Structure formats: C-alpha cells, structure tokens
Amino acid sequence: MTKLRKTSKTKLHDESLNTGSGQTILKPDVNENKVRSVTDLRESGQSTAPPASEEDRRIRQAFVDKDWNEIKIADSWQIFKVMAEFVDGFEKLAKIGPCVSIFGSARTKADNKYYIMAEEIAAKLVRHGYGVITGGGPGIMEAGNKGAHSEGGKSVGLNIQLPFEQFNNIYIDSDKLINFDYFFVRKVMFVKYAQGFVVMPGGFGTLDELFEAITLIQTKKIGAFPIVLVGRSYWQGLFKWIDEVMLQVEKNISAEDLDLVHIVDDPTEAVKIIDEFYSKYLLSPNF
C-alpha cells in the first residue's frame, strides 16, 4: 500500500517505491527551478533561445512575473506618461470650438472615391462653421485634414505612434497636431471635443472608434451627437447583421439603438444631418 505524506516543503514522499532500501526517495518539486520574476531571470544567468520576433518577446514577457520593485517603477512612469498625454490634449483642444471627428482608413488612396468624399465633406463642414478632427495620419484622415485646410478651417490631427502605417499628414494646423502613445487617451480626445462623427470606410481601428462613440451615446455618457456613416454598400451588411442577429435574435440591444446612426452616400446629405442636429437644439457654430 502506498503511503503519501507532505513535508514542510510540500514535497511528496513515496515510500513504497523504495521498500527495503532504508532510504526515502523524494519526488522533485516541479516549481523548484521556475523563474519567478524578471530579476530572477537576469540573476540566474540562464540562456534561452532568442525570440523569433519582437512580438514573440512581448508575449513571453507577459508570462514572466515581476517583483514589486519592478512593478512600482514601471507603473509609476506609465501613470506620468498617461497624465502628460491628457494634459497636452486638454490644453491644445480646450478652446477648439465646435468640431466634427472624421474616422476612416489610413490605407485609402487619394484616387479612391471615399478619399474624395471625405475631402469634400470636410470642406463643406468648414464652410458651415465647423472644425475637423481626424486621426492625423494618411488616407481618409489626410483627406479630412486636407478638406478643412483648403477652406481655412480648423484642422486637428490626433496622431498615434505605430510601428507601421501611421505618420502625420501635412494638412494639420501646426498648433493642433498632438501625438499619442496610448489609444485610449486619443479616443477620449476624439469624443470629448467633437459634436458629431462622420465615419468613412475603414478597418478595425475605424470600427473601434465607431463603436466607442455608439456605446458612449447609448449609455448616455455623452450627448446624442449625430453619427453619420458614409458608404451604404460598405456599411449596410454590418448593420443588417446587427439588426437581424444582435437585435432580433439575441436581443442584445434595443430597437432604438439602431437610430443612433445614419447611413448615407452623399457628402451633402452627411453635412445636412450635422446641420439639422444643431438646428434642432437651436445651436450654431461659434467661430
């Protein structure tokens, strides 16, 4: 019969495996050689195969426990960096006046119909008294800033530092270009200083910004500012699924939530929706 007992170090003794030898064989602790922190890893001098890529290194790093000193130092500096980005954004945008945020893909080329439409929408918005806020990069963002710049309006660029794709375009007002490391800080600026949202076709980043705005309006964290999606053929499939599956089958949203967005094909119609919103609340741009 096998008798198991725990020692103070929680190691298992299996006495039956060594019957008659007069000795007890200890089963090894599987955690005995586990590296518990980044400091342990450095001090152990263990060599491992180099990571295949930067992404591989970041994933491996996420699984290494950090000691309290490492956590305290890293998190403290991160807090200050986040604060600095908020302060910079608040100072530059506090008196910006009524603006509309334009979202869309960084990959859209200048000869694409949606680039041309975004430029036209931005120009019309400026002529109607609004400033334009974009993500500050190429593609649709460039088109938005270009349209605003061409009409002498306020052209704001909230640029994000990325390892690829993103660089600020040349149509942003020099005093209204802000660079961010953190997406969540940048999204606060997009929403806090905009009184409307125009969403052109884009990728995951555009969807993130779109649903951020919808969620904040749905949960009444911000006012019910207009959200205008441009390009019916691009957006109707997504919102057909939202209607038929998310609403009718799963009932995860309310029917009135679908009224938070407007889907159009024409730049004039997009700007008209923004204007009608202001007229409804007896508001008018003040710059």
Side-chain angles (χ1 to χ4, degrees):
M1 177 178 180
T2 300
K3 292 169 63 179
L4 297 176
R5 60 186 176 85
K6 279 188 176 181
T7 68
S8 60
K9 294 184 178 179
T10 69
K11 295 180 179 178
L12 297 177
H13 289 223
D14 188 345
E15 297 179 354
S16 66
L17 295 177
N18 201 37
T19 304
S21 68
Q23 297 179 355
T24 300
I25 297 176
L26 301 181
K27 295 183 71 175
D29 183 351
V30 294
N31 295 315
E32 198 169 51
N33 297 318
K34 181 181 178 182
V35 176
R36 291 177 172 80
S37 72
V38 176
T39 300
D40 291 343
L41 185 61
R42 295 193 192 107
E43 293 177 352
S44 69
Q46 296 177 9
S47 60
T48 57
S53 64
E54 175 66 15
E55 182 67 19
D56 184 55
R57 186 196 66 78
R58 293 171 68 180
I59 292 173
R60 290 176 184 274
Q61 188 77 5
F63 286 97
V64 176
D65 295 332
K66 297 178 181 177
D67 60 35
W68 173 240
N69 189 52
E70 290 168 325
I71 292 172
K72 187 166 59 174
I73 292 172
D75 288 357
S76 294
W77 277 112
Q78 193 168 39
I79 288 170
F80 285 120
K81 284 180 66 180
V82 170
M83 288 175 58
E85 290 196 2
F86 273 120
V87 170
D88 190 30
F90 290 160
E91 286 183 345
K92 289 185 177 180
L93 299 180
K95 297 181 179 180
I96 197 68
C99 286
V100 174
S101 286
I102 297 179
F103 304 137
S105 176
R107 306 185 186 192
T108 305
K109 303 302 181 184
D111 58 353
N112 185 286
K113 67 176 182 178
Y114 292 120
Y115 183 106
I116 297 168
M117 291 174 71
E119 185 179 348
E120 182 179 349
I121 289 169
K124 287 178 180 292
L125 286 170
V126 168
R127 289 198 292 269
H128 287 229
Y130 308 96
V132 170
I133 300 173
T134 79
I140 294 296
M141 295 173 280
E142 177 184 281
N145 289 126
K146 185 177 180 181
H149 181 77
S150 68
E151 295 294 326
K154 294 187 178 181
S155 181
V156 182
L158 308 180
N159 192 45
I160 186 76
Q161 302 294 338
L162 296 176
F164 60 92
E165 270 187 8
Q166 189 80 1
F167 53 86
N168 64 273
N169 65 71
I170 62 174
Y171 302 104
I172 303 167
D173 296 345
S174 59
D175 61 333
K176 298 179 184 67
L177 170 63
I178 310 174
N179 290 296
F180 296 91
D181 280 327
Y182 299 99
F183 271 109
F184 69 91
V185 180
R186 181 177 181 244
K187 285 198 292 184
V188 169
M189 303 303 158
F190 271 133
V191 174
K192 182 176 176 63
Y193 295 103
Q195 285 76 47
F197 307 93
V198 173
V199 189
M200 307 298 294
F204 292 137
T206 301
L207 292 176
D208 178 39
E209 292 155 351
L210 166 62
F211 284 106
E212 175 84 5
I214 292 175
T215 300
L216 291 171
I217 293 172
Q218 181 209 40
T219 55
K220 304 189 185 305
K221 290 295 184 180
I222 64 173
F225 299 117
I227 301 174
V228 183
L229 309 182
V230 180
R232 195 175 303 276
S233 62
Y234 189 87
W235 295 110
Q236 64 185 0
L238 171 63
F239 280 86
K240 182 173 184 288
W241 174 84
I242 290 174
D243 181 16
E244 294 179 354
V245 179
M246 191 181 290
L247 172 61
Q248 296 183 34
V249 176
E250 299 297 337
K251 298 179 172 37
N252 288 329
I253 60 172
S254 302
E256 56 267 25
D257 292 334
L258 292 176
D259 297 332
L260 298 177
V261 300
H262 309 266
I263 303 178
V264 303
D265 276 321
D266 180 64
T268 300
E269 189 179 357
V271 177
K272 180 181 177 183
I273 291 171
I274 304 290
D275 280 337
E276 287 178 348
F277 168 80
Y278 274 86
S279 299
K280 178 180 177 182
Y281 292 98
L282 301 177
L283 300 172
S284 61
N286 58 13
F287 68 90

